[in-house]
Amino acid sequence: MENQIKQKLNRELINSQEKLPLKIVQFGGGNFMRGFTDYIIDKLNKETGWKGGIVNLQATPNGSIQKMEEQDNVYTLFTRGIKKGEIHDEKQVISAIQKSVNPYANYDEFLALAKEQELEFIFSNTTETGIAYDETEASYEGPHRNFPAKVTVLLHERFKHFNGAADKGLRIIPCELIEDNAFALRDIIVKYAQLWNLEESFVQWINQHNYFHNTLVDRIVPGYPKDDVETYEDQLDYEDKMMVVSECFLLFVIQEAGNLKERIPFNEINEQILVVDHIQPYRLRKVRILNGGHTLMLAPAILSGQETVKESIDNPFIGKFLSDAIFNEVNPTLGLDMNELKDFAEEVFDRFRNPFIKHYLASIALYFVSKFKVRVLPSLLTYVETNGKLPVNLTFSLASLIRFYQGNFREKTLPLNDEEGVVSKFKEIWKNEDYGKVAELALSEKSFWDTDLTKVEGLKTAVAKALYEIDHNDMETAYNNFVQFNS
């Protein structure tokens, strides 16, 4: 019957009543964790027989883990996007979480987790501000609001219960988006141990018998589809208040320590999970190709009349412009395996084409100059250093940025959203009508680029030429004339 009341999702309904040993404590059970780490662990359990149960901890006092408990800690994950040019749209029930605990309301239950024999991992995603030291958490007695303080207590209780046993240390794998996230967390844990006057032997145990794995994570997880919930509910024959929507793409780069590969079989599932000795090359790859791709196409796309990332990548001119820039100018500067870079870039373009995510260019334009400086300019300068000539696409992108900061284009106001100093400086620069002078002033402004770009041979002349072409032609013709000029 059309109006029949659906049964709430639960383990009996999906025939998933096996009790898994508690191997993972997870700080934060929000959208990202449920669409990323919990998905990975669930896949490990179902495809490799690893059998790792998760304890989901409520991260803040105002969290809502009771909703998870009400449906036996199971939920539906919709994975939607494009893989290798084909639309990918599937759903699955994730059942790796065994229990949810509110440490603010049930602190003793939280402390008891330290005694779990098979506990081996801590995963977390408490946002970039979560890995921080709060000196006001001056007492060992909890519950604590601060995430590293909670971890310190959990580790100390485990240290005491197992008498500092070497084999009872944990592997800490944070997913917060800061560089060297695990090392930053470790250093704060040690600070709390010192603040609370805990045993020196505990600090030694932390450093010698626990492993801290820096990570790089990447997946867009919009979460509960509140704006289109009926479309998703119609696909389910049960009620699920905790369903999550995610894109297809997944990248999890984990820094090796203590033979992690032998403890968890990431290599046995078909996901882009890399356990590596050095994480920085992969961070660089993401910044230059994914983030850099957004940034380098931004001004040409907006000046061409595009509004979203998908519209831009589907546009024949902008799509080819971006592809040429990434494959011919960015990838060769990264010093990584070219086949890996090609595969990664193609996945990035699939993400840009995702019809289920509407990513507006205006939102990417926030702090555009500083983004270009970090994400695109290093590729331009490395290309010049390596090849002794200018990269045509990256140079045209830079010129388009300078034109963008004039603020108006063909009677259209552009979405400038930057620091007042940047906007006002460009306003002064654009009082000049000579393109050569505009190029010289913009490129020499060290507050923009941390260097004087007029010292790059030929760059000032090339940018001036591009500015002239942009103002006197449509963007595609301007680009083609610019390419001819530089050939």
Side-chain angles (χ1 to χ4, degrees):
M1 294 176 60
E2 187 174 340
N3 296 323
Q4 182 177 2
I5 297 176
K6 294 180 179 179
Q7 185 176 353
K8 187 185 293 289
L9 178 62
N10 59 68
R11 289 187 179 272
E12 184 178 359
L13 192 65
I14 61 169
N15 193 28
S16 176
Q17 295 173 288
E18 179 185 10
K19 296 292 185 182
L20 299 175
L22 300 180
K23 293 184 180 180
I24 300 163
V25 168
Q26 174 175 292
F27 287 83
N31 293 326
F32 180 79
M33 294 300 273
R34 287 187 288 126
F36 187 80
T37 52
D38 297 347
Y39 161 78
I40 291 170
I41 300 304
D42 193 74
K43 195 167 186 178
L44 284 168
N45 292 338
K46 291 172 180 174
E47 295 184 7
T48 75
W50 186 62
K51 296 188 184 302
I54 300 170
V55 180
N56 172 38
L57 293 181
Q58 181 170 304
T60 65
N62 299 321
S64 56
I65 62 162
Q66 73 275 7
K67 293 181 181 179
M68 287 291 292
E69 287 281 286
E70 286 170 3
Q71 52 187 57
D72 290 343
N73 293 294
V74 294
Y75 60 92
T76 310
L77 174 65
F78 291 86
T79 310
R80 314 186 75 190
I82 293 181
K83 279 186 175 181
K84 300 188 183 302
E86 300 291 328
I87 288 183
H88 176 90
D89 192 356
E90 67 177 28
K91 65 180 183 293
Q92 60 193 299
V93 175
I94 305 298
S95 57
I97 298 176
Q98 301 299 292
K99 64 189 295 188
S100 293
V101 174
N102 181 346
Y104 304 95
N106 301 294
Y107 192 60
D108 288 342
E109 189 176 4
F110 163 68
L111 295 179
L113 297 175
K115 302 176 183 179
E116 289 289 340
Q117 284 283 346
E118 296 192 53
L119 188 63
E120 191 170 358
F121 298 91
I122 290 177
F123 286 91
S124 68
N125 185 36
T126 56
T127 78
E128 293 90 311
T129 61
I131 299 181
Y133 178 68
D134 181 0
E135 62 184 8
T136 65
E137 297 270 26
S139 171
Y140 182 84
E141 301 301 318
H144 300 92
R145 289 175 177 264
N146 179 272
F147 160 57
K150 292 192 192 84
V151 178
T152 307
V153 169
L154 185 68
L155 290 173
H156 188 251
E157 291 295 312
R158 189 167 183 81
F159 170 78
K160 290 191 299 182
H161 181 74
F162 291 105
N163 298 312
D167 64 344
K168 293 303 179 183
L170 302 182
R171 295 174 179 274
I172 292 85
I173 307 179
C175 297
E176 288 81 358
L177 292 174
I178 63 172
E179 197 161 346
D180 292 337
N181 46 16
F183 291 170
L185 177 57
R186 177 196 59 198
D187 292 346
I188 297 172
I189 289 170
V190 171
K191 287 184 73 173
Y192 276 119
Q194 294 167 343
L195 178 69
W196 297 335
N197 294 314
L198 302 181
E199 309 94 312
E200 179 59 33
S201 56
F202 168 62
V203 175
Q204 292 173 356
W205 182 76
I206 289 292
N207 289 322
Q208 295 173 9
H209 303 302
N210 292 262
Y211 298 101
F212 291 81
H213 301 269
N214 295 319
T215 67
L216 174 67
V217 302
D218 191 10
R219 189 176 222 191
I220 298 171
V221 185
Y224 187 80
K226 59 182 179 181
D227 295 331
D228 194 21
V229 66
E230 290 183 1
T231 299
Y232 293 88
E233 288 177 339
D234 288 345
Q235 300 180 53
L236 304 177
D237 55 8
Y238 49 80
E239 178 188 348
D240 185 356
K241 295 298 185 183
M242 299 303 291
M243 59 181 166
V244 174
V245 179
S246 167
E247 69 167 336
C248 304
F249 179 87
L250 181 150
L251 174 66
F252 198 7
V253 186
I254 310 170
Q255 192 163 309
E256 175 65 289
N259 295 319
L260 175 65
K261 294 176 183 178
E262 296 179 6
R263 303 305 307 162
I264 186 166
F266 288 129
N267 63 312
E268 294 183 23
I269 59 175
N270 184 26
E271 295 291 346
Q272 195 172 191
I273 304 174
L274 308 174
V275 180
V276 300
D277 292 330
H278 304 288
I279 210 166
Q280 187 57 30
Y282 298 92
R283 187 181 304 281
L284 184 68
R285 183 181 74 171
K286 174 181 181 290
V287 169
R288 299 284 179 85
I289 297 177
L290 172 64
N291 306 118
H294 273 147
T295 303
L296 74 86
M297 79 171 174
L298 176 60
I302 288 179
L303 297 179
S304 297
Q306 312 305 313
E307 292 188 355
T308 69
V309 171
K310 181 176 174 7
E311 287 175 1
S312 303
I313 197 76
D314 288 343
N315 178 273
F317 162 53
I318 297 298
K320 186 176 186 307
F321 169 81
L322 178 62
S323 179
D324 288 347
I326 294 296
F327 287 108
N328 300 332
E329 299 176 353
V330 174
N331 283 3
T333 70
L334 294 176
L336 296 171
D337 181 85
M338 290 300 290
N339 288 325
E340 284 188 13
L341 291 173
K342 177 178 177 291
D343 291 344
F344 181 77
E346 288 175 348
E347 287 181 317
V348 165
F349 291 166
D350 279 346
R351 299 177 77 186
F352 288 176
R353 295 187 185 98
N354 191 341
F356 305 110
I357 296 177
K358 204 162 189 176
H359 197 172
Y360 285 97
L361 297 173
S363 67
I364 303 173
L366 178 67
Y367 302 128
F368 188 10
V369 169
S370 63
K371 287 178 179 177
F372 193 97
K373 178 181 69 176
V374 171
R375 300 173 176 181
V376 182
L377 186 58
S379 296
L380 188 156
L381 296 177
T382 303
Y383 185 96
V384 171
E385 183 180 348
T386 303
N387 298 284
K389 62 180 181 179
L390 294 171
V392 174
N393 293 276
L394 299 184
T395 302
F396 189 79
S397 175
L398 173 58
S400 300
L401 176 151
I402 293 171
R403 181 58 184 83
F404 173 84
Y405 272 89
Q406 189 180 11
N408 293 279
F409 188 69
R410 312 262 159 89
E411 299 182 352
K412 181 179 180 180
T413 300
L414 300 174
L416 300 186
N417 192 0
D418 211 324
E419 296 176 3
E420 178 58 35
V422 171
V423 175
S424 61
K425 182 69 71 173
F426 267 115
K427 188 175 182 179
E428 285 294 317
I429 290 171
W430 275 107
K431 286 181 179 179
N432 296 276
E433 297 183 359
D434 178 78
Y435 294 113
K437 188 64 174 178
V438 170
E440 179 183 1
L441 292 173
L443 294 173
S444 63
E445 183 54 56
K446 291 186 178 181
S447 67
F448 294 165
W449 323 114
D450 292 339
T451 188
D452 181 356
L453 292 180
T454 62
K455 297 185 186 312
V456 178
E457 185 176 355
L459 186 59
K460 184 180 77 170
T461 301
V463 166
K465 172 63 174 175
L467 291 173
Y468 172 86
E469 294 294 340
I470 290 169
D471 270 349
H472 290 83
N473 299 285
D474 64 84
M475 285 297 288
E476 185 171 3
T477 301
Y479 170 76
N480 289 333
N481 289 346
F482 179 71
V483 172
Q484 188 68 30
F485 172 78
N486 283 277
S487 61

